[in-house]
Amino acid sequence: MAGQRYVRYILFAVLVSLRGWSVSYFTDIEATQCITVIFFVSSSSSNGLKNAGVDAVAGWKGEHANSGSGSGTTSQSKGDAAKRPEAEKPLEISISPSTPPAASAATSKPAPKQSDDLIKAPGTTPNSQNALAPPKAAGPRMNATFVTLARNGDLWEIVKSIRAVEDRFNHKYNYDWVFLNDKPFDDDFKKVTSALVSGKTKYGLIGEEHWSFPEWIDQDKAAETRRDMGERKIIYGDSISYRHMCRFESGFFFRQPLMLDYEWYWRVEPSIELYCDINYDPFKFMADNKKIYSFVISLFEYSETIPTLWNSVKKFMKAHPEHIAEDNSMAWLSDNGGKDYNRCHFWSNFEVGNLNWLRSPAYIDFFDSLDRDGGFFYERWGDAPVHSIAAGLLLQKDQIHFFNDIAYYHVPFTHCPLEEKVRLDNKCHCDPNQNFDWNGYSCKILNAPLSARLTSVRHQEVLRLPRHAKAQRMGAASVMGEADTL
């Protein structure tokens, strides 16, 4: 013990001397590193003092010798430390008592320089060599893809959605992502999105035949509709491109050449959020449980955009009774046995579904019948009610699934799981009081199981409202005009 105290006194004297020199000779960081080494040595037993102290100092000298000469850094740093100023370099002290100090100093070599090809390669980290990280989740993958309709100008909004999907789910599964656009994607869009997606990215150009007026549309009549809706301030009422988008999403996205490679799709739009981890594969869940179509939010459509949609639907049902499912969801779509449409629909900016169903004769006949009636251009039919009515009539009830545990946001509405255990287990960061399911504009509330309902006064008041009263609360164009896309 006396010998150890003696050594500490010597080290303390060295410390004082070093601290004095640091103003004129050493940098502050060098002095700090000396202090750290001395503290470690002075706290060690006298038995391990010699090896530990010498090795630590040798390691400190070797690091600064390398940094002073401009050599590369260790592989763990991925080249980042070499780009930082000297004062910002992390402190690294390697202590290896089993290695003799002389041998350690003699065999210490700077890390090899990174390949010039890797440094110059765009969109890759220096040690990736263009290889994707292996998926973390075990088990088979479904023949599935994410799909996004976007323009080059949407880049910095879609990257938010990609990060949400990757962080909460896809980094474990590495599913592909298909991007579709009526104009060619530019290099920036491809470079940034491909760097963020863990699976393969594919970029498709929509053909003019799928993004234009069909030959049977009366252009004068369509223009008059747009003028009238614009004067009445119906959101997107005067837009041509919006109508092309709704028609494309209703009848053509699943026919794009890139989409023909897949059986399942998950639609993702710019600026969405996922609030909870998804610790299973929704694609596989759908397949294993014989589900065809799914949603997270349902609400009423703005009536001014679809005045004759249900008439066209009834005409289709009469012409094609063979396509109507026996155990369908007519009771969810209509309050009077099919005479009128109650405007309930699934919010289609989130969909996980089966592409083979959309390519089936039943759905193609349904879409073609509606398309021929011209409501996408003579009114402003959205893809959300089109998909929803098709699912409600052509599918069995048990083929439609509500993903209650997928917490989702798309302006201005949120779906947040109500059960606290679900939120905690899945690391959710949403506020359950913002859950849209119990909003007066929601259709989900009309068919929700009693066990899932909140007990708050506000939500119980909504539950007691008759259906027509809920519908009356949807009259504002500023809210309902956004229903099928926002």
Side-chain angles (χ1 to χ4, degrees):
M1 293 298 292
Q4 186 175 359
R5 286 196 299 272
Y6 179 72
V7 171
R8 288 181 180 176
Y9 294 149
I10 294 175
L11 291 174
F12 180 77
V14 173
L15 167 61
V16 174
S17 299
L18 286 174
R19 195 59 181 170
W21 295 340
S22 66
V23 176
S24 60
Y25 187 75
F26 289 97
T27 67
D28 287 342
I29 285 183
E30 288 171 330
T32 302
Q33 290 173 332
C34 288
I35 294 170
T36 304
V37 172
I38 292 168
F39 174 79
F40 175 84
V41 173
S42 66
S43 300
S44 303
S45 66
S46 58
N47 292 333
L49 185 60
K50 182 183 295 185
N51 288 341
V54 174
D55 277 8
V57 173
W60 166 75
K61 286 184 176 179
E63 180 187 23
H64 280 267
N66 286 340
S67 63
S69 62
S71 300
T73 59
T74 61
S75 60
Q76 288 87 345
S77 70
K78 300 183 181 180
D80 291 338
K83 300 176 183 179
R84 290 195 294 264
E86 289 291 322
E88 295 181 7
K89 288 190 176 180
L91 177 62
E92 297 179 0
I93 299 177
S94 177
I95 301 174
S96 306
S98 61
T99 303
S104 176
T107 59
S108 176
K109 296 180 180 180
K113 292 185 178 180
Q114 298 159 356
S115 165
D116 290 340
D117 292 336
L118 289 178
I119 293 174
K120 294 176 182 177
T124 63
T125 53
N127 66 344
S128 71
Q129 300 185 17
N130 295 317
L132 293 174
K136 296 181 181 179
R141 300 294 185 266
M142 304 302 297
N143 183 18
T145 185
F146 296 96
V147 60
T148 293
L149 178 65
R151 291 176 169 168
N152 292 311
D154 296 324
L155 174 59
W156 301 113
E157 295 305 314
I158 193 57
V159 296
K160 299 175 185 176
S161 302
I162 295 172
R163 277 258 51 105
V165 171
E166 289 291 331
D167 292 348
R168 289 299 195 171
F169 168 71
N170 200 43
H171 73 281
K172 294 175 287 190
Y173 289 89
N174 302 164
Y175 279 111
D176 294 353
W177 205 307
V178 173
F179 297 92
L180 301 172
N181 190 352
D182 65 312
K183 300 290 190 299
F185 283 108
D186 60 32
D187 290 341
D188 281 346
F189 190 99
K190 293 179 181 180
K191 179 173 62 176
V192 174
T193 54
S194 63
L196 294 176
V197 175
S198 59
K200 296 178 181 178
T201 53
K202 302 180 181 182
Y203 304 88
L205 178 62
I206 300 167
E208 184 178 357
E209 69 276 14
H210 292 163
W211 198 276
S212 59
F213 292 96
E215 60 183 7
W216 59 84
I217 293 298
D218 182 333
Q219 293 287 345
D220 292 337
K221 181 179 179 180
E224 175 59 26
T225 295
R226 295 194 301 273
R227 183 198 63 77
D228 174 65
M229 284 188 155
E231 290 180 353
R232 290 189 286 144
K233 307 299 182 183
I234 295 174
I235 190 167
Y236 306 123
D238 59 353
S239 172
I240 294 177
S241 62
Y242 183 85
R243 287 174 166 81
H244 289 325
M245 182 274 291
C246 290
R247 181 172 179 257
F248 175 81
E249 293 282 24
S250 296
F252 300 112
F253 87 90
F254 50 87
R255 305 191 220 193
Q256 300 306 294
L258 292 177
M259 296 299 292
L260 297 179
D261 295 335
Y262 301 98
E263 181 183 358
W264 299 92
Y265 75 99
W266 181 333
R267 178 170 164 180
V268 179
E269 293 198 355
S271 304
I272 65 100
E273 290 191 51
L274 294 178
Y275 289 121
C276 301
D277 288 350
I278 303 172
N279 296 312
Y280 64 98
D281 187 343
F283 295 121
K284 190 172 188 302
F285 173 89
M286 296 280 286
D288 291 347
N289 292 278
K290 297 180 172 58
K291 306 296 183 182
I292 301 296
Y293 186 86
S294 64
F295 69 101
V296 293
I297 291 175
S298 62
L299 67 168
F300 293 90
E301 178 61 299
Y302 182 34
S303 61
E304 294 299 317
T305 66
I306 55 167
T308 68
L309 174 59
W310 194 247
N311 292 335
S312 292
V313 170
K314 289 192 289 185
K315 184 173 72 173
F316 164 79
M317 289 191 289
K318 184 176 181 180
H320 294 282
E322 73 278 11
H323 292 328
I324 307 304
E326 183 176 352
D327 186 25
N328 60 52
S329 302
M330 175 63 83
W332 188 78
L333 297 169
S334 175
D335 298 337
N336 51 20
K339 181 180 178 181
D340 301 299
Y341 177 39
N342 63 22
R343 298 181 285 131
C344 282
H345 70 280
F346 307 121
W347 216 20
S348 60
N349 48 61
F350 173 98
E351 295 177 322
V352 179
N354 188 282
L355 291 163
N356 290 335
W357 170 60
L358 294 175
R359 301 182 190 117
S360 70
Y363 186 86
I364 296 298
D365 286 347
F366 176 77
F367 170 75
D368 286 348
S369 178
L370 268 56
D371 197 29
R372 278 284 173 179
D373 287 345
F376 292 106
F377 302 102
Y378 298 148
E379 296 176 7
R380 204 223 67 185
W381 295 354
D383 56 280
V386 172
H387 283 191
S388 303
I389 293 172
L393 296 179
L394 308 181
L395 299 178
Q396 307 285 340
K397 287 178 183 176
D398 60 4
Q399 293 178 308
I400 302 173
H401 182 67
F402 169 49
F403 276 112
N404 182 49
D405 57 335
I406 295 182
Y408 175 80
Y409 171 80
H410 190 308
V411 60
F413 302 130
T414 297
H415 170 70
C416 184
L418 303 179
E419 297 81 1
E420 182 180 53
K421 186 177 188 304
V422 171
R423 297 197 304 275
L424 296 179
D425 288 349
N426 295 301
K427 300 178 176 62
C428 304
H429 68 285
C430 56
D431 179 357
N433 290 312
Q434 299 299 317
N435 185 27
F436 181 74
D437 293 357
W438 312 111
N439 189 297
Y441 308 143
S442 173
C443 287
K444 175 66 179 69
I445 193 173
L446 303 177
N447 295 284
L450 186 61
S451 61
R453 298 177 183 175
L454 284 179
T455 58
S456 72
V457 173
R458 180 172 65 87
H459 293 151
Q460 289 299 322
E461 288 176 350
V462 173
L463 288 172
R464 286 195 291 269
L465 284 174
R467 183 182 293 223
H468 71 275
K470 297 184 182 77
Q472 288 175 356
R473 295 179 59 180
M474 302 181 57
S478 61
V479 174
M480 294 314 301
E482 302 168 339
D484 55 325
T485 58
L486 295 181

